[in-house]
Amino acid sequence: YISSATHRIIRNRDFLIITTLPDVTADLIVVEGAPCIIDTGKYRYSFSIQQKPKVIPADANEAYLDLKNIEFPILLRKWRIGDYFYPFGMKMKKKKVSRLLIDEKVPLHEKEDIRLLECSKRIAWVSGTRPDERFNVRDSTEKVLVVKRELK
């Protein structure tokens, strides 16, 4: 990419993307409990505890996690090289977050805003993609932690 004092141009496959320089935000945010709302600059994350719904929506910007597997405090942090998780639907096969973002064709300027929800040094959700299989809602689940990501 090429950058100036205020903007940058990124080559993404066959396109040129012009963006403003990203705001400097905290790399790591500690979530002490739910309910709460966290603002990361571009996105707003809301955390709540609910009874298990009959149908879980298939929305990449929402995560329904089994509350039995969640230990507070949890971390909302930027992804790093070497991070891996077990994506929902892959039958407990490990995948690096960097590989997931490449497979999903996430552009560079959007990769900077991807956050991970980490619980006990395990990734529970890659925001905007999918949750981890280990935190999946099961038949025995009674309560869920619902995390929603909204564009500001």
Coordinates of all heavy atoms in Angstrom, one line a residue, residues 6 36 42 44 65 70 72 79 89 106 111 120 133 137 152:
T6 N -2.8 11.6 5.5 CA -4.1 11.4 5.9 C -4.8 10.2 5.3 O -5.8 9.7 5.9 CB -5.0 12.6 5.6 OG1 -4.9 12.8 4.1 CG2 -4.5 13.9 6.3
C36 N -23.0 -5.3 29.0 CA -22.2 -4.1 28.8 C -22.1 -3.8 27.3 O -22.5 -4.6 26.5 CB -20.8 -4.3 29.4 SG -19.8 -5.4 28.6
K42 N -14.7 1.8 15.2 CA -15.5 1.6 14.1 C -16.7 0.8 14.5 O -17.8 0.9 13.8 CB -14.7 0.8 13.0 CG -15.4 0.6 11.7 CD -14.6 0.0 10.7 CE -15.3 -0.2 9.4 NZ -14.5 -0.8 8.3
R44 N -19.4 -1.2 17.6 CA -19.9 -1.2 19.0 C -20.2 -2.7 19.3 O -21.0 -3.3 18.5 CB -21.1 -0.3 19.1 CG -21.7 -0.3 20.5 CD -22.8 0.7 20.6 NE -22.3 2.0 20.5 CZ -22.8 2.9 19.5 NH1 -23.7 2.5 18.7 NH2 -22.3 4.1 19.5
L65 N -22.9 -17.9 22.6 CA -21.9 -18.8 23.2 C -22.4 -19.4 24.5 O -23.1 -18.7 25.2 CB -20.6 -18.0 23.5 CG -20.0 -17.2 22.3 CD1 -18.9 -16.3 22.8 CD2 -19.5 -18.1 21.3
I70 N -17.9 -20.0 29.5 CA -17.4 -18.6 29.6 C -17.0 -18.3 31.0 O -17.7 -18.5 32.0 CB -18.4 -17.6 29.1 CG1 -18.9 -17.9 27.7 CG2 -17.9 -16.2 29.3 CD1 -17.9 -17.7 26.6
F72 N -15.5 -15.1 33.1 CA -15.2 -13.7 33.1 C -14.0 -13.4 34.0 O -13.8 -14.2 35.0 CB -16.4 -12.8 33.6 CG -17.5 -12.7 32.6 CD1 -18.6 -13.6 32.7 CD2 -17.4 -11.8 31.6 CE1 -19.6 -13.5 31.8 CE2 -18.4 -11.8 30.6 CZ -19.5 -12.6 30.7
W79 N -6.6 -9.3 16.5 CA -6.0 -10.6 16.1 C -4.5 -10.4 15.9 O -4.1 -9.3 15.5 CB -6.7 -11.3 15.0 CG -6.5 -10.6 13.6 CD1 -7.1 -9.5 13.1 CD2 -5.5 -11.1 12.7 NE1 -6.5 -9.2 11.9 CE2 -5.6 -10.2 11.6 CE3 -4.6 -12.1 12.6 CZ2 -4.8 -10.3 10.5 CZ3 -3.8 -12.2 11.5 CH2 -3.9 -11.3 10.4
G89 N -18.6 -25.7 12.7 CA -18.9 -26.4 11.5 C -17.7 -27.1 10.8 O -17.9 -27.8 9.8
V106 N -11.1 -11.2 3.2 CA -11.3 -9.9 3.9 C -10.2 -9.0 3.5 O -9.0 -9.3 3.6 CB -11.2 -10.2 5.4 CG1 -11.3 -8.9 6.2 CG2 -12.3 -11.2 5.8
K111 N -9.3 -6.0 7.8 CA -8.6 -7.0 8.8 C -8.1 -6.2 10.0 O -8.1 -6.8 11.1 CB -7.4 -7.6 8.1 CG -7.7 -8.7 7.1 CD -6.4 -9.2 6.5 CE -6.7 -10.2 5.4 NZ -5.5 -10.8 4.9
S120 N -10.2 -17.4 28.7 CA -9.2 -18.4 29.3 C -8.2 -18.8 28.3 O -7.9 -20.0 28.1 CB -10.0 -19.6 29.8 OG -10.9 -19.3 30.8
E133 N -16.0 -23.8 17.9 CA -16.8 -25.0 18.1 C -16.9 -25.3 19.6 O -17.9 -25.8 20.1 CB -16.2 -26.2 17.4 CG -16.9 -27.5 17.5 CD -18.2 -27.5 16.6 OE1 -18.1 -27.0 15.4 OE2 -19.2 -28.0 17.1
V137 N -23.4 -23.6 21.2 CA -24.6 -23.8 22.0 C -25.0 -25.3 21.7 O -25.1 -25.7 20.5 CB -25.7 -22.8 21.6 CG1 -27.0 -23.2 22.3 CG2 -25.2 -21.4 21.9
K152 N -20.8 1.5 13.7 CA -21.2 2.8 14.2 C -21.7 3.7 13.2 O -21.3 3.7 12.1 CB -20.1 3.4 15.0 CG -19.9 2.7 16.3 CD -18.8 3.3 17.1 CE -18.8 4.8 17.2 NZ -17.7 5.3 18.1

